[in-house]
């Protein structure tokens, strides 16, 4: 596909091409950064959904919290005090 043709397509086209997604990997708020990076590296993924853990204050067990990307982890590691 030529780059000039990209202006004719939308994200909807990509979603239809990809098909219905399945949840294969996720982490919880209590997983370590090391374990999360290892998971992402092992399966060559750049983001994972984060689910709550009952041991984290204010979280419902198993409730969706956020999407965590490898870039979020990198920024935290580089910029944290």
């Amino acid at each position: 596909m030529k780059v000039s043709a990209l202006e004719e397509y939308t994200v909807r086209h990509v979603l239809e091409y990809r098909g219905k997604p399945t949840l294969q990997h996720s982490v919880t708020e209590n997983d370590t950064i090391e374990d999360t990076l290892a998971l992402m590296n092992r399966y060559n993924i750049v983001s994972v959904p984060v689910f709550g853990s009952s041991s984290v204050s204010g979280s419902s067990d198993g409730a969706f919290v956020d999407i965590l990307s490898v870039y979020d982890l990198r920024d935290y590691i580089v910029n944290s005090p």
Side-chain angles (χ1 to χ4, degrees):
M1 178 182 299
K2 293 183 179 182
V3 175
S4 61
L6 293 178
E7 63 191 26
E8 298 176 26
Y9 296 97
T10 65
V11 172
R12 171 60 52 200
H13 290 102
V14 177
L15 295 175
E16 290 171 357
Y17 172 80
R18 180 195 66 194
K20 185 176 179 181
T22 59
L23 179 59
Q24 297 180 4
H25 306 288
S26 64
V27 296
T28 69
E29 293 173 298
N30 285 342
D31 288 338
T32 66
I33 292 173
E34 181 180 18
D35 290 343
T36 303
L37 284 171
L39 173 81
M40 296 168 106
N41 184 52
R42 184 177 321 120
Y43 295 104
N44 195 29
I45 52 180
V46 295
S47 62
V48 292
V50 179
F51 291 94
S53 174
S54 59
S55 61
V56 176
S57 174
S59 293
S60 302
D61 191 27
F64 175 76
V65 175
D66 206 341
I67 299 289
L68 182 69
S69 77
V70 69
Y71 308 107
D72 297 327
L73 292 168
R74 178 207 57 201
D75 292 347
Y76 180 78
I77 293 166
V78 170
N79 298 319
S80 65

